Amino acid sequence: MKKAWFHILLVVARGASHGAEIQRQTAERTGGEVTLYPVTLYRALDELADAGLIAETEAPGDEQHNEKRRYYLITPGGQEALVAEAAALEEAAREAKAAVRAARA
Amino acid sequence: MTRLSDLYLRALLRLLPRRFRKRHGAELLAVTRRMRCDLGPSPGPAVLARFYATVTWDLVRHAPWQIPGGRSKNTVTSPLERRIDPVMKRPVGFSWLDIKLGVRMLARYPGIAVVGTVAIAVAIALGTFYFEAVNKFREPGVSAPGGEPLVSIHNWDAQAGAPEPQALYDFRVWSREARTVDNLGAAHVFVRNLATGDGRVEPVRGAEITAGAFPLMGATPLLGRTLTDQDEDPAEPPVVVLGHALWKSRFDSDPGIIGRTVKLGTVDATVVGVMPEGFSFPATQRIWAPLRVNPAATLPRQGPPVAVFGRLVPGHSMTEARAELAAIGERLAAAAPATHENLRPLLTAYGNPLPGGGQAQFVNTILTVVNGIFLALLAIISMNVATLVFARTAGRGWEISVRNALGASRTRIVVQLFAEALVLTGLAAVVGLVAAKVALTQGLGMMQGSGALPFWIDDSLSWQTILYTVVMTLFGAAIIGVLPALRATRLNVQEALRNAAAGRSSLRFGGFWTTVIVAQVALTVALIPLALNGVSQSNRFMQRAEGIGAERYLAASIGMNREDYASDAETFNAHARFSFEELERRLLAEPGVEEVAFADRLPVEDQFKYAIEVDTTGGVPATGSQTSTMVQVSENFFDTFGTSVVAGRAFRPLDFEMGNVILVNQGFVQHVLEGRNAVGQRVRIAGGENSSLTGDTWYEIVGVVANFGWQLPSPAEQAAIYRPRLPRADAAMKMAVRTRDPGSFGPRLRAVALGVDPRIQVTEVQPLARVGGGEATTNWALTSVVWLVCLVVMTLSATGIHALMAFIVARRTREIGIRSALGATPQRIIRGVFARALLQVGLGIVAGGVLAALIGFESIPTLLGAGAVMLVVGTGACAVPLRRALRIDPTEALRSEV
């Protein structure tokens, strides 16, 4: 899974969100390590939607005034993909730790 | 965020597919703005630069190749398909995206972009400049202020094959009877001396003109009034109207000029008006007097020569007007066969040269041929650029093959590559148009300095020229884009994909591209001698005054204006002869003046060439050169230029009456007579510049003079004939005055001439050393253009050969690796890989030599030199690919193929 996909899925898994918010939360969560540049971000959103991992949704009630923004929410397929990716990452992390431990021992 | 960066981002966004832009554009911009704000209120320039560079890169790297046009619901797109640009799936046609892809291709291959653009721009600029310049002089399309076309009516003498300028009688008939052309007017143009109160005398171009010409051109005077019908009455006091330039230069823009008296020729006239800037009707005139010949009293084919003009009546076509005038002409011919049997009125658009006649057809042919040469140049340069594009296209073989495999039609791919080429030629067209416009402005500015340009000539580019440029642009793009595209898409898809997967290209540089490279090398080799010839011409212009001490002479053109058409031409000529003799006498009496001579060409000027025939009836063999220059000179011409008769005798006064003897120079003896005794031999002028000199008359050589005063390109051209001629009023004539101070004698020369006869015109007064400066400038400009074209074609040859060799090395990496692994020496590898390039260069050099010889450059050292230059350029172009080939590591090469 592309890095951008993973970070987007992470944000929209918590609730409906739009592009700018996804970018802000990602930067915040990674301490500025990951920046989703605009075209990369929106292209990834299109790709995720195409792949059925996220879906466009209505704007939350309190943000109705801003019609330009598109809100996205994770789909069940997206949740599965995110969990699978997280599991793969966990597995990779476990393997990495084991490898380092073995090397030190 | 500043407005500028907003504009920049919006412009960048245009590179993205429309659907994506519509869907996300606003949000995308907002996010970018916010990111920019996050940088703080006043970030440093380095931070800002990094930010914009990253944002630009983020956008460009995703632009159109990568982004699907948008989400298509219920369709499954494979990853491979997503990589293919959406243009492919559209129906065949031209789209904005094609153009955007073209822009990206230019950015991706800056080398091709720069070389291609400059080369095509040069070709387009030359073609455009030529087309516009020719049109300005041949079909200017002059119209009245209301937009109706202006026309000229000539009285064509079918028997003489020339117009009959004495057309006042006919003008009267046409004015009365024509319905399709109105506001008819007539003008007799002249050059006369204008003497002002301050003692200055200078010839000015003017016209005796019918009063109606001013309202016809919608001209209102800046000061005073224009001419009126009443002014045309011979009983009225003489008046003149001044042009703006004349008023400014001769009268310091004096607002109180109206009412002052000036002397125009022999007439004292009152200034009644000043015209605004830009008015110089009928063409280049600076002063206007009323046409005071009563047409009613003028007999057919009598009176002053006039130009007749008018306005096409709205609602009528040129064809209708021609038909009507033809009918009027036929009636006149029937009524007065004695004078009008062969006269026919001929209507042309105003300012157009007269159609018909062998010479006009010849000029048309020449113009068409030159146009063809420029198109051929564009075609050759385009093909050269096409070579480069083909090499690039070959590198994109994978992309083209995959698109083909996914169903993009051949036409679709050809259209896209055409669009890419169109971006390049379009850019070149813009550069070329700007260059042509600048050249036109500069060129016309130089000509305008002498005030010799008709009023309708300006530096604007007409819509026809723009259209022509567009056609050239499309033509160039068709060659650059379509040729490589057709070849690239001719491949078998499966084979191409297989090759692409193995990292190879299926495209080959076949015979076509070999021909293109050979052609461009040949063109360069043929152009180098032409360019060198221009340089030697320039040197000749600089050196030609050597040997005669040109700095001691003042040169001038001299003529006599016939103001009065009441007396006959013979009387006038006799009067003129007397005046010129008197002028010579008075000049010789001036302090400091040593000699005065008249001739139709002065020594430093380009001489007219004539075909000659030596009388062989006395047993003289007909060998030696059959051409010679000929100059018609006054009696003391040789004394004036300090040369002497080395055999026979000089001219005697009686020779000037009989006119059947000539002198020749030593060059003539050497090259025409091959050293035989010249005196007593007879020569006939078989053909050349001045047709009045050619014919059956045999001229006897009575003397031989030393060679002098003209550095000729080859010794064989030094043959010269001198024919005796007295200064005359009816032929162009030059005058040379040997004086101690040629620089300051000009005004005195004019004053003396005015004292002799106010009708004598002294123009082009300048030191002899400066004569021919215009020719030198023209030569310099033409030589520069040839050098430029030469340089462009040579650069293209070099880049073309480089591209070819680089491509071949890339294609044959594996083969070179294997050969190298098997122990082939570098020499063998070089021979195997580069023999072809060297063969092409060699073939090109030979073809270029043949071409140059056909054009007329037979100097073997020059051709060998040009060939050597091209060989060095060709070998140099191979250098980088050669190094790459020799550095191929066999193991790497073999591994890369697995």
Side-chain angles (χ1 to χ4, degrees):
Chain A
M1 182 183 277
K2 287 182 189 172
K3 205 161 82 173
W5 287 21
F6 180 70
H7 288 292
I8 293 170
L9 285 177
L10 267 184
V11 177
V12 294
R14 293 201 183 99
S17 189
H18 54 81
E21 184 60 19
I22 294 169
Q23 193 208 38
R24 196 188 59 76
Q25 284 195 26
T26 303
E28 214 171 77
R29 196 174 46 75
T30 61
E33 280 294 305
V34 177
T35 308
L36 293 174
Y37 280 95
V39 182
T40 307
L41 170 68
Y42 286 98
R43 185 186 164 219
L45 285 172
D46 273 0
E47 285 169 344
L48 285 167
D50 274 346
L53 303 184
I54 58 172
E56 242 179 81
T57 180
E58 293 290 313
D62 56 334
E63 291 195 34
Q64 273 296 341
H65 61 280
N66 200 335
E67 289 174 19
K68 277 183 188 167
R69 286 178 176 165
R70 287 171 196 276
Y71 283 77
Y72 300 88
L73 195 62
I74 198 161
T75 60
Q79 287 169 339
E80 273 177 33
L82 184 61
V83 169
E85 183 70 9
L89 284 174
E90 273 174 18
E91 180 61 34
R94 241 194 328 270
E95 276 181 22
K97 283 175 187 166
V100 172
R101 262 200 306 272
R104 284 180 180 164
Chain B
M1 198 161 62
T2 63
R3 191 180 150 72
L4 199 65
S5 64
D6 221 36
L7 273 176
Y8 172 71
L9 288 172
R10 282 177 191 280
L12 269 186
L13 272 182
R14 305 284 303 177
L15 288 173
L16 298 171
R18 185 205 267 283
R19 284 187 63 188
F20 183 85
R21 224 164 50 221
K22 275 184 85 169
R23 209 173 139 69
H24 301 298
E27 270 189 90
L28 210 147
L29 268 180
V31 169
T32 315
R33 283 193 200 114
R34 211 209 60 223
M35 287 173 77
R36 163 71 182 79
C37 290
D38 288 347
L39 297 176
S42 52
V47 176
L48 266 183
R50 204 172 57 215
F51 170 74
Y52 281 113
T54 318
V55 167
T56 306
W57 171 239
D58 175 55
L59 195 144
V60 171
R61 80 192 171 101
H62 289 110
W65 295 94
Q66 307 288 336
I67 298 177
R71 258 182 338 170
S72 47
K73 281 184 181 144
N74 306 323
T75 54
V76 181
T77 51
S78 73
L80 185 61
E81 259 186 297
R82 277 195 223 136
R83 288 181 57 81
I84 307 304
D85 82 283
V87 175
M88 197 194 81
K89 295 171 207 152
R90 294 185 195 166
V92 174
F94 217 65
S95 76
W96 173 230
L97 196 52
D98 284 325
I99 300 295
K100 280 198 278 193
L101 294 180
V103 175
R104 289 193 68 208
M105 278 295 144
L106 280 190
R108 190 180 287 182
Y109 300 95
I112 296 179
V114 171
V115 173
T117 306
V118 170
I120 303 283
V122 167
I124 287 184
L126 287 174
T128 304
F129 176 82
Y130 178 77
F131 189 84
E132 179 67 44
V134 165
N135 271 356
K136 275 194 193 309
F137 286 94
R138 289 187 67 79
E139 285 182 30
V142 188
S143 54
E148 305 85 9
L150 285 191
V151 293
S152 292
I153 310 175
H154 310 271
N155 217 6
W156 189 258
D157 185 338
Q159 197 176 29
E164 165 59 82
Q166 292 175 296
L168 269 179
Y169 172 84
D170 308 78
F171 162 61
R172 185 176 55 99
V173 177
W174 298 334
S175 312
R176 200 176 53 224
E177 296 186 11
R179 296 288 168 269
T180 52
V181 180
D182 64 4
N183 284 298
L184 247 60
H188 165 61
V189 297
F190 57 75
V191 178
R192 284 182 197 159
N193 288 324
L194 179 73
T196 41
D198 55 4
R200 279 168 73 190
V201 188
E202 270 164 37
V204 292
R205 279 187 301 276
E208 286 176 355
I209 195 163
T210 49
F214 294 91
L216 171 68
M217 293 308 291
T220 47
L222 188 70
L223 293 175
R225 62 171 176 89
T226 59
L227 300 174
T228 61
D229 291 340
Q230 200 186 349
D231 293 327
E232 291 175 25
D233 183 348
E236 291 292 318
V239 293
V240 289
V241 171
L242 301 180
H244 191 269
L246 188 65
W247 175 59
K248 207 169 141 191
S249 65
R250 290 292 298 275
F251 302 96
D252 292 333
S253 308
D254 178 5
I257 186 75
I258 306 300
R260 266 178 53 187
T261 303
V262 293
K263 191 178 179 80
L264 183 63
T266 53
V267 178
D268 288 313
T270 310
V271 177
V272 293
V274 175
M275 296 309 290
E277 203 171 348
F279 183 85
S280 55
F281 193 80
T284 61
Q285 279 54 46
R286 300 278 180 269
I287 192 165
W288 298 269
L291 184 64
R292 288 194 150 169
V293 186
N294 185 355
T298 306
L299 296 170
R301 304 187 90 150
Q302 297 292 316
V306 288
V308 179
F309 47 85
R311 189 187 70 141
L312 195 66
V313 174
H316 291 285
S317 68
M318 291 287 278
T319 315
E320 286 170 4
R322 284 199 181 108
E324 189 195 32
L325 278 160
I328 295 173
E330 276 168 26
R331 280 204 298 277
L332 263 175
T339 52
H340 279 71
E341 192 185 354
N342 297 310
L343 287 182
R344 295 287 177 274
L346 187 68
L347 186 96
T348 60
Y350 194 83
N352 284 20
L354 273 174
Q359 198 178 356
Q361 255 180 10
F362 176 71
V363 170
N364 269 336
T365 313
I366 293 279
L367 292 176
T368 314
V369 167
V370 176
N371 244 338
I373 289 174
F374 282 123
L375 275 182
L377 179 73
L378 177 68
I380 290 173
I381 289 183
S382 298
M383 279 191 215
N384 293 340
V385 178
T387 322
L388 305 181
V389 171
F390 183 69
R392 181 186 80 183
T393 310
R396 285 164 66 189
W398 184 85
E399 172 204 325
I400 291 172
S401 312
V402 170
R403 285 156 159 238
N404 233 337
L406 286 172
S409 69
R410 190 178 180 195
T411 319
R412 179 58 249 164
I413 291 170
V414 171
V415 165
Q416 195 216 312
L417 290 176
F418 171 72
E420 286 180 25
L422 194 60
V423 171
L424 190 141
T425 53
L427 187 64
V430 172
V431 176
L433 267 178
V434 170
K437 166 90 176 155
V438 169
L440 203 61
T441 310
Q442 294 292 322
L444 292 179
M446 273 159 65
M447 290 167 80
Q448 195 74 59
S450 60
L453 283 180
F455 68 89
W456 57 81
I457 307 265
D458 57 22
D459 65 352
S460 62
L461 294 174
S462 66
W463 66 266
Q464 291 97 328
T465 304
I466 306 280
L467 190 67
Y468 180 71
T469 311
V470 169
V471 170
M472 284 203 293
T473 309
L474 292 173
F475 174 63
I479 293 178
I480 293 171
V482 175
L483 284 184
L486 286 178
R487 294 190 72 83
T489 51
R490 211 170 54 180
L491 300 165
N492 174 314
V493 171
Q494 282 176 353
E495 187 200 335
L497 280 174
R498 209 168 39 239
N499 282 334
R504 289 193 300 261
S505 170
S506 305
L507 294 170
R508 281 178 177 80
F509 268 94
F512 178 79
W513 303 107
T514 305
T515 316
V516 168
I517 288 177
V518 169
Q520 66 195 12
V521 171
L523 188 70
T524 316
V525 171
L527 274 173
I528 289 174
L530 189 65
L532 287 177
N533 183 56
V535 173
S536 75
Q537 284 277 355
S538 291
N539 290 338
R540 195 161 63 86
F541 276 116
M542 276 188 271
Q543 295 163 358
R544 64 181 174 185
E546 279 177 10
I548 54 161
E551 64 286 346
R552 291 178 301 157
Y553 298 87
L554 183 69
S557 289
I558 195 151
M560 189 123 163
N561 189 264
R562 186 176 170 191
E563 290 178 31
D564 176 14
Y565 283 83
S567 60
D568 62 74
E570 277 307 307
T571 318
F572 173 67
N573 281 334
H575 196 103
R577 184 174 159 180
F578 172 78
S579 294
F580 289 139
E581 282 171 6
E582 180 61 20
L583 175 64
E584 188 179 349
R585 245 191 315 276
R586 289 205 201 171
L587 282 175
L588 286 170
E590 287 286 317
V593 173
E594 294 160 3
E595 297 283 354
V596 176
F598 297 94
D600 60 351
R601 305 293 283 172
L602 291 176
V604 297
E605 290 180 290
D606 266 329
Q607 308 290 301
F608 294 138
K609 270 226 158 60
Y610 289 86
I612 54 162
E613 189 188 331
V614 178
D615 186 7
T616 54
T617 48
V620 179
T623 56
S625 171
Q626 302 288 299
T627 58
S628 169
T629 59
M630 180 157 75
V631 190
Q632 305 189 75
V633 299
S634 67
E635 194 177 344
N636 47 357
F637 180 82
F638 301 108
D639 294 337
T640 304
F641 286 102
T643 192
S644 54
V645 174
V646 293
R649 64 170 177 84
F651 288 134
R652 293 175 187 148
L654 192 63
D655 295 335
F656 289 87
E657 306 299 333
M658 307 298 289
N660 58 352
V661 296
I662 51 173
L663 294 181
V664 294
N665 68 354
Q666 288 168 320
F668 188 94
V669 176
Q670 192 183 343
H671 298 292
V672 178
L673 300 176
E674 297 184 322
R676 294 188 299 273
N677 181 23
V679 178
Q681 303 235 28
R682 298 200 308 159
V683 175
R684 190 175 75 85
I685 312 296
E689 182 77 22
N690 187 344
S691 58
S692 72
L693 295 172
T694 60
D696 296 329
T697 312
W698 287 99
Y699 296 96
E700 188 187 339
I701 300 172
V702 292
V704 179
V705 293
N707 290 346
F708 77 104
W710 181 227
Q711 304 291 316
L712 287 157
S714 70
E717 291 182 53
Q718 285 188 348
I721 293 174
Y722 299 97
R723 184 176 178 268
R725 196 185 72 170
L726 289 170
R728 294 158 63 123
D730 57 353
M733 198 170 48
K734 300 289 168 66
M735 180 180 172
V737 182
R738 195 166 89 203
T739 166
R740 280 202 288 275
D741 187 8
S744 63
F745 191 67
R748 184 65 200 146
L749 172 64
R750 285 203 163 111
V752 172
L754 184 73
V756 173
D757 188 333
R759 294 175 301 177
I760 295 179
Q761 296 144 15
V762 184
T763 51
E764 300 173 42
V765 182
Q766 56 185 328
L768 187 59
R770 247 184 269 153
V771 170
E775 287 166 358
T777 311
T778 311
N779 180 66
W780 177 84
L782 287 178
T783 306
S784 307
V785 169
V786 175
W787 272 112
L788 182 65
V789 173
C790 200
L791 202 68
V792 162
V793 179
M794 200 192 286
T795 311
L796 276 176
S797 304
T799 41
I801 293 166
H802 173 87
L804 166 82
M805 289 322 303
F807 180 76
I808 287 177
V809 169
R811 242 171 52 83
R812 292 170 68 178
T813 300
R814 187 161 188 255
E815 179 201 323
I816 295 170
I818 292 174
R819 288 172 71 169
S820 175
L822 291 175
T825 59
Q827 287 84 348
R828 280 188 72 91
I829 292 175
I830 292 170
R831 225 179 10 248
V833 179
F834 294 92
R836 188 171 152 193
L838 294 177
L839 182 71
Q840 284 169 346
V841 173
L843 273 178
I845 290 173
V846 172
V850 172
L851 188 65
L854 285 178
I855 300 172
F857 292 105
E858 286 155 356
S859 158
I860 301 291
T862 313
L863 288 180
L864 283 179
V869 167
M870 209 48 239
L871 200 62
V872 169
V873 170
T875 320
C878 292
V880 176
L882 188 78
R883 261 184 56 194
R884 199 177 302 150
L886 292 179
R887 285 183 178 181
I888 290 172
D889 176 5
T891 47
E892 283 292 317
L894 293 173
R895 197 178 307 136
S896 71
E897 293 293 312
V898 178

